[in-house]
Amino acid sequence: MLKMMTFFQGLPGQQPVPGTLDFPRRPQKLSSTSEAESEASMSEASSEDLVPPLEAEVTPDRGKEEAVKKKKKKPKGLANMFSVFTKGRKKKGQPSSAEPEGPPESAPGLGGQPPGQLPTVEELKADLERGRLEAARPLLALERELQAAAAAGGASQEELVRRQSKVEALYALLRDQVLGLLRRPLETAPERLRQALAVLAEQEREDRQAAAAAAGSGPSVLAATRPRGWLQLWRRDVAQAAEERLGRQPAEGSEGRSEAERIFLHMGRTMKEDLEAVVERLKPLFPAEFGVVAAYAESYHEHFAAQLAAMAQFELCERDTYMLLVWVQNLYPNDIINSPKLAHELQALGLGSLLPAGQIRQLEATFLSSEVASVKEMMARALDLESQRWAQDVAPQRLDGHCHSELAIDIIQIISQGQAKAESINLELGLQIKHMLLVELAAFLKSYQHAFGEFLERCKQLRNYRANVIANINNCLSFRTSMEQKWQTSQDLPSHLLGPLSELKSHSFDTLLQNLFGDLKPLFKKFTQTRWAAPTQTLEEILSTVGKRLPEFSELHDCFRQELMEVVHLHLVKEYIIRLSKRRLVLKTAEQQEELAGHILANAQLIQVFCTQNGSPAAWLHHALPTLAEIIRLQDPSAIKIEVATYATSYPDFSKGHLSAILAIKGNLSNSDVKSIRSILDIDMGVHQPFKSLFSLIKVG
């Protein structure tokens, strides 16, 4: 960055111009004879008697007038002229430095000559020094007269050369007057500006005619002085104006901005304001063929592009790379080229990009790489801070009665800011970084799952352990909701994003329910210990134990409380089936089997009502116990087959081993009947949809 600041400070026009910001007059080069040579020739010719001298002695009154003019007239540079872009128009009645000090002498013709008679050289010189652009026509007539004399061949070569040197010296004066006014177009009265533009247009026409005539003519004794190229000189002045305006040192006071940011903000604002002034105030006055808007726009564009290209040569920091891309891809094309006041004018010019496409791609690759690395680093730092809070036993926040963690909000904000930053350059870059950031988010979620898993295993003794577990379960909702809202619908969220959250939640549920399930284990053993003598009382004791522990989960979000209750529901049904499958109960009569089936149905109803009232959404478990009761009650093998086939459709993980454990209760079934009933599970039931596990959680011998 230090190198870049040095670079900007060393750019032309960066340092304030001392004094009155005078614009140094650039030497103007004639086609065949330099100004210095013209002036020297004029001085030599003035000593001859053939033509009255140009440096004739002025009258006392005229000398006073010239002295007053020199005293009052202060040179104003292009920088002063362009201050009008931001300061507005001059007030009415305010004199312009480009206008003559007083009204032209009232005379029948220029220089006081009668109409129809050409003024002398010294009279034309005096008129031009007064800023009287009306002298352009007689000067042109004088030039044509000289060309006619050369073509006629009556005058000597020495005389023609001397006369030509005087004409060229006068043209140098006229050129300085015309271009001087055009350097300060907004400070010049409109009528005066039109007059200068008319002279320039006339000179362009003469240049074209002279070029056409020269193509078919032979050698001449006169030196070739056309084309003079004043229009090109004007365009060079416009380019110099752009360089001076854009190269000025930006004003101080932009808090929080780097040197490069302040410079480009200054250039962008200056270019926009200046071009708006050109469109609104100069275009109506300039001839269409001059292309005044194009001249200024192309000059500003070229200088702006040169500044950016020079900056791009440095090894940029992340902030300046981003700033450069924002200007090239967003602010410049959208806020300047396509701004409401300029779009109609500038779009047709096809100014193009401020940087070549290859260089832009390199900058974009650098930006994407550094931005993704920055996002990755910030997410890792956020997780590290969160992990420290868990380990230090810091209690989580409470929000609306729920344990709350800011981690998900922080992570999604970091991801969103990275994507928004890329989108502020252009939408295509935003799409590129989105996929990269989703990969980093998936990697972060794996790290989050791993770090929280270590906390679950190592920190069980901490006072705020359960509260932090609940807070991180709730965090899964924040992550999922944010991802769905920002990127996709819930159906489209990929498994590599949801998988780590599901694992974290599942592990956390197991941790929260571990003690409860441990307390229920001896209660379920009572079913087999008492040979199902009092199943209802045993189940009521089980449900009472669960009910007492449910308030511990009140700080979970409702959706997770329901999911946790579904886990409890599944555990109750699973453990009940495990007790039925222990093969310690063999009932040989239909009456005994029907009695057990009644107990099972009653218990199934109690479990279903209790779990449903406490929020379990597990309707898929409602038929697990009643259907087993029906299989135990039925005596006809064919009817049992139908029931088993239906059951296998609802619970695809119901295996022959599980069926054998249930059929073992029916002591009055023959081996052939058991074998025939088991064979029904060999038939493909056509169930290929994903299903929730029940019997795969139950091990049978």
Side-chain angles (χ1 to χ4, degrees):
M1 189 62 202
L2 180 59
K3 287 183 179 180
M4 196 186 316
M5 291 174 65
T6 305
F7 157 72
F8 279 119
Q9 291 166 357
L11 287 174
Q14 285 294 320
Q15 300 302 324
V17 182
T20 58
L21 294 177
D22 292 341
F23 171 61
R25 178 172 296 177
R26 177 169 50 81
Q28 307 293 339
K29 191 172 183 181
L30 299 176
S31 299
S32 61
T33 309
S34 70
E35 255 185 80
E37 292 171 341
S38 298
E39 295 291 348
S41 299
M42 185 181 292
S43 299
E44 292 173 3
S46 65
S47 63
E48 300 291 337
D49 296 328
L50 184 63
V51 180
L54 283 172
E55 302 297 337
E57 197 173 355
V58 296
T59 63
D61 291 340
R62 182 167 173 179
K64 291 179 182 178
E65 179 184 352
E66 293 297 326
V68 171
K69 287 176 65 177
K70 289 180 180 178
K71 183 177 180 181
K72 288 185 176 181
K73 189 173 182 181
K74 295 181 180 179
K76 291 191 176 182
L78 198 58
N80 272 357
M81 175 275 288
F82 267 103
S83 65
V84 182
F85 276 84
T86 54
K87 294 180 180 177
R89 299 176 183 268
K90 300 181 78 67
K91 296 179 180 178
K92 287 187 177 181
Q94 184 175 349
S96 168
S97 63
E99 295 177 325
E101 293 294 331
E105 297 176 8
S106 56
L110 277 172
Q113 296 298 317
Q117 180 179 343
L118 285 179
T120 63
V121 172
E122 69 267 37
E123 288 170 339
L124 285 175
K125 180 176 181 292
D127 287 329
L128 289 173
E129 287 176 343
R130 291 193 187 101
R132 300 187 66 191
L133 300 184
E134 296 90 338
R137 281 298 177 89
L139 176 55
L140 180 57
L142 194 63
E143 180 185 13
R144 289 173 177 171
E145 185 181 80
L146 174 61
Q147 292 168 348
S156 67
Q157 183 173 357
E158 181 182 359
E159 177 187 350
L160 292 173
V161 169
R162 185 168 57 250
R163 290 172 63 184
Q164 185 181 33
S165 68
K166 292 182 179 182
V167 168
E168 292 308 311
L170 291 173
Y171 266 118
L173 288 175
L174 179 61
R175 179 197 62 210
D176 289 346
Q177 288 289 342
V178 170
L179 294 181
L181 292 172
L182 296 181
R183 288 190 194 104
R184 302 181 296 276
L186 297 178
E187 290 185 355
T188 304
E191 194 54 44
R192 183 82 166 147
L193 187 59
R194 287 192 186 95
Q195 194 178 18
L197 291 169
V199 173
L200 182 57
E202 185 177 55
Q203 289 300 309
E204 280 298 299
R205 287 194 298 272
E206 286 297 314
D207 279 354
R208 290 193 295 271
Q209 292 173 6
S217 63
S220 172
V221 296
L222 295 176
T225 58
R226 287 190 184 275
R228 291 193 170 89
W230 289 7
L231 187 61
Q232 188 61 32
L233 294 178
W234 167 71
R235 290 191 174 116
R236 289 178 187 172
D237 286 344
V238 170
Q240 186 175 355
E243 182 178 349
E244 289 187 0
R245 286 285 291 164
L246 297 183
R248 286 181 177 179
Q249 190 71 17
E252 297 292 338
S254 300
E255 294 296 332
R257 298 189 187 276
S258 69
E259 178 76 4
E261 287 171 333
R262 290 194 300 108
I263 287 172
F264 284 104
L265 181 61
H266 155 74
M267 288 199 298
R269 182 180 294 146
T270 300
M271 179 176 181
K272 184 177 181 181
E273 292 174 353
D274 289 5
L275 292 185
E276 286 177 353
V278 170
V279 170
E280 293 172 0
R281 300 173 61 184
L282 296 187
K283 184 184 177 185
L285 301 177
F286 274 66
E289 61 269 21
F290 282 18
V292 63
V293 176
Y296 278 96
E298 289 167 0
S299 295
Y300 275 71
H301 174 84
E302 288 172 7
H303 186 72
F304 208 143
Q307 293 276 46
L308 263 71
M311 179 183 177
Q313 300 305 313
F314 289 91
E315 186 175 344
L316 302 175
C317 67
E318 179 183 345
R319 179 170 176 172
D320 287 335
T321 299
Y322 167 69
M323 181 272 299
L324 204 60
L325 286 171
V326 166
W327 271 105
V328 172
Q329 302 277 64
N330 184 351
L331 298 180
Y332 187 79
N334 295 324
D335 289 6
I336 297 179
I337 302 300
N338 291 314
S339 63
K341 293 183 180 180
L342 299 177
H344 179 71
E345 300 289 341
L346 301 186
Q347 285 175 356
L349 298 180
L351 296 176
S353 174
L354 289 171
L355 287 177
Q359 198 167 24
I360 291 174
R361 285 194 295 272
Q362 290 178 358
L363 289 170
E364 287 179 341
T366 301
F367 165 78
L368 289 172
S369 176
S370 62
E371 187 62 28
V372 169
S374 176
V375 166
K376 184 177 180 179
E377 180 184 351
M378 286 190 287
M379 290 195 299
R381 193 183 309 139
L383 178 57
D384 186 56
L385 291 173
E386 187 73 7
S387 300
Q388 290 178 29
R389 284 193 284 270
W390 305 333
Q392 293 167 3
D393 203 20
V394 177
Q397 302 176 43
R398 261 69 176 183
L399 184 65
D400 298 330
H402 303 118
C403 292
H404 175 72
S405 168
E406 292 286 323
L407 180 63
I409 296 172
D410 292 341
I411 296 303
I412 296 301
Q413 187 174 25
I414 290 169
I415 292 283
S416 299
Q417 286 174 348
Q419 185 172 353
K421 198 171 178 182
E423 288 175 347
S424 70
I425 296 172
N426 62 51
L427 294 179
E428 182 180 350
L429 204 62
L431 188 60
Q432 289 183 47
I433 204 171
K434 171 187 172 181
H435 299 298
M436 299 170 74
L437 293 178
L438 285 175
V439 171
E440 293 302 326
L441 177 59
F444 166 82
L445 292 174
K446 290 288 289 182
S447 298
Y448 175 38
Q449 176 197 348
H450 177 73
F452 193 67
E454 289 188 345
F455 166 75
L456 290 176
E457 297 301 324
R458 297 179 181 180
C459 301
K460 294 181 180 180
Q461 75 284 357
L462 297 179
R463 184 167 55 91
N464 291 300
Y465 176 77
R466 291 180 67 85
N468 275 313
V469 172
I470 290 174
N472 281 275
I473 294 174
N474 289 339
N475 228 0
C476 296
L477 178 63
S478 300
F479 271 116
R480 177 160 189 157
T481 302
S482 298
M483 289 189 291
E484 289 173 356
Q485 290 175 348
K486 180 161 183 61
W487 290 304
Q488 311 167 55
T489 64
S490 58
Q491 293 85 351
D492 294 330
L493 282 174
S495 59
H496 65 277
L497 290 175
L498 295 181
L501 295 175
S502 297
E503 290 294 328
L504 185 149
K505 179 183 64 177
S506 177
H507 194 176
S508 298
F509 279 169
D510 291 344
T511 300
L512 291 178
L513 295 171
Q514 187 175 15
N515 291 338
L516 171 61
F517 290 169
D519 293 342
L520 295 180
K521 192 170 185 179
L523 297 178
F524 272 105
K525 285 184 177 180
K526 288 184 178 181
F527 284 115
T528 50
Q529 289 170 350
T530 60
R531 298 184 65 81
W532 299 84
T536 303
Q537 292 87 334
T538 301
L539 185 62
E540 287 177 348
E541 187 177 355
I542 289 171
L543 297 181
S544 175
T545 301
V546 173
K548 290 175 182 177
R549 302 291 291 274
L550 290 182
E552 296 177 8
F553 313 118
S554 61
E555 291 183 311
L556 283 168
H557 283 302
D558 291 346
C559 62
F560 293 127
R561 202 159 54 243
Q562 292 172 3
E563 286 189 48
L564 183 132
M565 197 61 219
E566 181 175 5
V567 174
V568 172
H569 192 170
L570 173 62
H571 182 79
L572 296 177
V573 172
K574 179 193 71 173
E575 288 297 315
Y576 198 98
I577 294 174
I578 288 173
R579 294 304 148 186
L580 277 177
S581 306
K582 284 298 181 179
R583 299 195 179 190
R584 294 182 181 178
L585 182 65
V586 178
L587 304 177
K588 295 186 177 181
T589 66
E591 292 78 8
Q592 291 174 323
Q593 294 171 17
E594 188 167 351
E595 181 182 2
L596 177 60
H599 288 316
I600 294 172
L601 283 173
N603 289 339
Q605 181 66 16
L606 286 174
I607 292 173
Q608 178 180 331
V609 170
F610 174 82
C611 292
T612 302
Q613 287 178 346
N614 284 283
S616 171
W620 63 281
L621 289 171
H622 290 174
H623 300 290
L625 294 177
T627 303
L628 290 180
E630 188 66 7
I631 292 172
I632 292 172
R633 186 187 67 80
L634 291 172
Q635 300 301 310
D636 179 22
S638 297
I640 294 174
K641 282 184 178 182
I642 294 172
E643 202 68 35
V644 169
T646 304
Y647 197 61
T649 303
S650 301
Y651 303 98
D653 54 351
F654 183 62
S655 67
K656 287 184 178 181
H658 298 108
L659 177 58
S660 296
I662 298 300
L663 294 179
I665 298 172
K666 300 173 70 66
N668 57 350
L669 279 178
S670 66
N671 289 336
S672 61
D673 288 338
V674 170
K675 187 176 181 180
S676 176
I677 294 169
R678 277 167 48 91
S679 67
I680 199 68
L681 294 179
D682 292 330
I683 301 173
D684 185 2
M685 301 300 174
V687 179
H688 303 291
Q689 296 295 326
F691 61 90
K692 294 184 177 182
S693 298
L694 171 59
F695 286 94
S696 57
L697 304 176
I698 301 172
K699 294 181 180 180
V700 291

